[in-house]
Amino acid sequence: MRGDSDTNGGLSRAGFLAGMGGLGAVALGIGGTAGAAATPLGRIPPGRPAPTGPAGATGRRGVRYRSVCYTLLDGESPGTAWSARRMRHDIRAVARDLHANSVKVTGDGVDRIAATSTEAAEHGLHIWVEPTLSDRPQRETLEHLAESGRHAEALRRQGADVQLSVGCEFWLLVPGIVPGATVLDRIETLRNGTYDPVDTQRKLDDFTARAAKVGRRVFRGRLSYAAAQSDEVDWRLFDIVGIDYYSYFPRPEQYARELRRYLRWGKPLAITEFGTCTYEGAPAAGGMGWDLVDYGKNPPEIIGDPVRSERTQARYLTGLLDVFEGLGLYAAMAFEFLTADAPHRPDSPRHDLDLASYAIVKPFRNDPADPASDWHWEPKEAFRALAARYGVYGKQPGPGGNRGAYGGNGRYGAGPGRGGEGALVIR
């Protein structure tokens, strides 16, 4: 997203970001995102790793990078505007409390991407840099990628463990691929089927190749891209296959069967998003779980009578993580750490926007009626359950058992870009 404070024609920025990973699945009719309504995944209590079973009997040693998505935006009010102080607090929590060994830094604004990536390096975290712009011209999107990639390369040269993703679901975020001036226009086009799939694929292939070329020019580490589950991507352009994953099945082996198809390229597989919202039945809604808020009301209201359930969210996340561990995937990035503009309202369930949030922490406003109020967050059950899983899995031998392999040493900073280009002084 661009990072301004509008609301995308009625759909809040927080709600849109929470759902964009799954919109393509719904619009394009992908199988697997709305699975059987039988037994939910995650019967094992949160905090206890799954025993080795059919999905884990491969002899591989688990996920290498256990991560969370940290999204950078301006926020919808002065109270939720991006803050370097809050960012430092959050990254410290990712490293020390969530026990992650990686963080995905995604969003817009080269300076704040650089600042957040540098902070993560100071804490010894692996960093997955994924710059994203929404509804901006293609040239501007590529320039934003280049500048962000230069800083990522500067960190990599200093010894930080950094990888670059050239973007996320370009057909949705980048104009000129699917007809429509805005994200919402393009969603409507996809839902109505008023587009030429052959022409759309050609344009997507072209822009993806251009983005990969820019990424290679500015960054010498491993390169990837975050695709929707049904996207046709030429993965020969990249070193790592990246998939935003929002499927729902009643049995773990069904996830494993579906995920194996992404291994056919013979490259590491990173789950660049996975998650669900905070109410009963949310996993079956896949990437559209957020779509139960009426933003036409002031203040916005929850539609219907969903039952808040942090346990549902926690069990889905940890159940999927167990599947990923069993498959020995390269990376798993829980979506997402925080949605600041979706506050928790235990005093008013009708206005509890956190219920429709994928975040693993819940924001509380000091004054619930004032959007500009100061606020703080507290961990949800999903945070504590993931922290327990990450902590236990991280102690096991294997490539993912070493948090902070490069170790925070307080010496990371933004050096000159390649060829003297794009120096970004963060500290």
Side-chain angles (χ1 to χ4, degrees):
M1 300 302 295
R2 183 161 166 73
D4 49 25
S5 58
D6 64 15
T7 57
N8 281 315
L11 176 64
S12 83
R13 191 174 305 285
F16 167 72
L17 280 171
M20 74 178 186
L23 283 171
V26 172
L28 299 176
I30 300 171
T33 57
T39 309
L41 179 69
R43 291 178 175 176
I44 300 165
R48 189 190 313 166
T52 301
T58 61
R60 283 172 284 188
R61 296 183 293 178
V63 171
R64 185 181 190 92
Y65 294 114
R66 302 175 184 94
S67 185
V68 66
C69 300
Y70 189 77
T71 306
L72 309 174
L73 293 170
D74 272 342
E76 296 178 12
S77 72
T80 56
W82 186 84
S83 159
R85 177 183 60 83
R86 286 190 182 276
M87 175 273 290
R88 288 191 292 269
H89 172 268
D90 294 346
I91 295 299
R92 184 168 61 249
V94 168
R96 298 183 183 179
D97 302 323
L98 187 60
H99 306 305
N101 63 359
S102 173
V103 64
K104 173 177 168 179
V105 178
T106 184
D108 60 19
V110 173
D111 288 346
R112 57 190 172 201
I113 290 173
T116 306
S117 301
T118 300
E119 185 68 22
E122 297 281 1
H123 285 277
L125 293 169
H126 162 267
I127 309 143
W128 183 281
V129 176
E130 186 178 283
T132 57
L133 285 181
S134 177
D135 297 339
R136 306 304 302 164
Q138 292 188 4
R139 180 174 179 177
E140 184 177 334
T141 298
L142 294 175
E143 290 171 350
H144 183 258
L145 166 62
E147 287 299 305
S148 301
R150 290 187 183 104
H151 180 267
E153 173 64 11
L155 279 180
R156 191 191 68 83
R157 289 186 176 189
Q158 294 177 70
D161 192 359
V162 187
Q163 288 163 331
L164 178 66
S165 170
V166 300
C168 172
E169 301 179 19
F170 287 143
W171 51 267
L172 178 64
L173 297 182
V174 179
I177 299 173
V178 172
T182 70
V183 166
L184 292 182
D185 291 339
R186 293 188 286 278
I187 292 170
E188 192 64 24
T189 296
L190 291 167
R191 282 176 166 162
N192 293 338
T194 53
Y195 69 101
D196 181 343
V198 175
D199 183 60
T200 296
Q201 185 65 49
R202 179 185 59 79
K203 290 176 178 177
L204 176 61
D205 290 344
D206 176 71
F207 187 79
T208 303
R210 290 166 61 197
K213 185 176 181 180
V214 169
R216 294 289 186 199
R217 188 172 68 240
V218 300
F219 186 73
R220 296 303 190 198
R222 283 184 158 186
L223 202 68
S224 189
Y225 167 67
Q229 288 170 243
S230 69
D231 286 358
E232 294 184 15
V233 178
D234 183 358
W235 291 110
R236 294 173 298 180
L237 298 168
F238 302 103
D239 305 302
I240 301 165
V241 175
I243 299 295
D244 294 343
Y245 191 69
Y246 288 93
S247 283
Y248 173 74
F249 293 112
R251 296 187 301 277
E253 60 267 24
Q254 293 175 283
Y255 293 96
R257 186 180 306 118
E258 182 178 58
L259 287 163
R260 286 190 181 99
R261 68 177 179 166
Y262 301 114
L263 300 173
R264 69 184 185 272
W265 292 88
K267 297 188 176 187
L269 172 59
I271 302 301
T272 43
E273 293 180 12
F274 74 103
T276 193
C277 296
T278 318
Y279 58 91
E280 293 180 1
M288 288 297 291
W290 58 275
D291 193 21
L292 45 68
V293 181
D294 183 352
Y295 289 102
K297 299 285 184 65
N298 187 16
E301 291 185 358
I302 298 295
I303 299 168
D305 297 296
V307 177
R308 182 179 178 88
S309 175
E310 293 189 16
R311 181 168 294 272
T312 294
Q313 182 190 39
R315 289 193 168 186
Y316 179 79
L317 283 164
T318 53
L320 269 184
L321 179 64
D322 291 340
V323 173
F324 302 153
E325 295 281 349
L327 290 171
L329 300 189
Y330 185 75
M333 308 173 200
F335 186 81
E336 65 178 336
F337 183 81
L338 169 70
T339 306
D341 287 301
H344 179 38
R345 290 287 303 274
D347 62 310
S348 180
R350 183 63 59 193
H351 302 103
D352 182 16
L353 301 190
D354 176 69
L355 178 145
S357 164
Y358 288 71
I360 61 173
V361 302
K362 48 193 173 187
F364 289 83
R365 288 177 181 160
N366 292 356
D367 180 354
D370 181 8
S373 171
D374 199 8
W375 57 277
H376 70 281
W377 60 256
E378 296 178 9
K380 294 184 188 177
E381 285 190 35
F383 183 103
R384 291 190 289 269
L386 275 179
R389 281 292 206 282
Y390 283 0
V392 171
Y393 280 129
K395 292 176 182 177
Q396 296 176 356
N402 235 352
R403 191 186 76 75
Y406 288 85
N409 58 19
R411 291 180 285 131
Y412 294 110
R418 283 159 24 84
E421 295 179 315
L424 296 168
V425 179
I426 305 304
R427 299 187 174 183

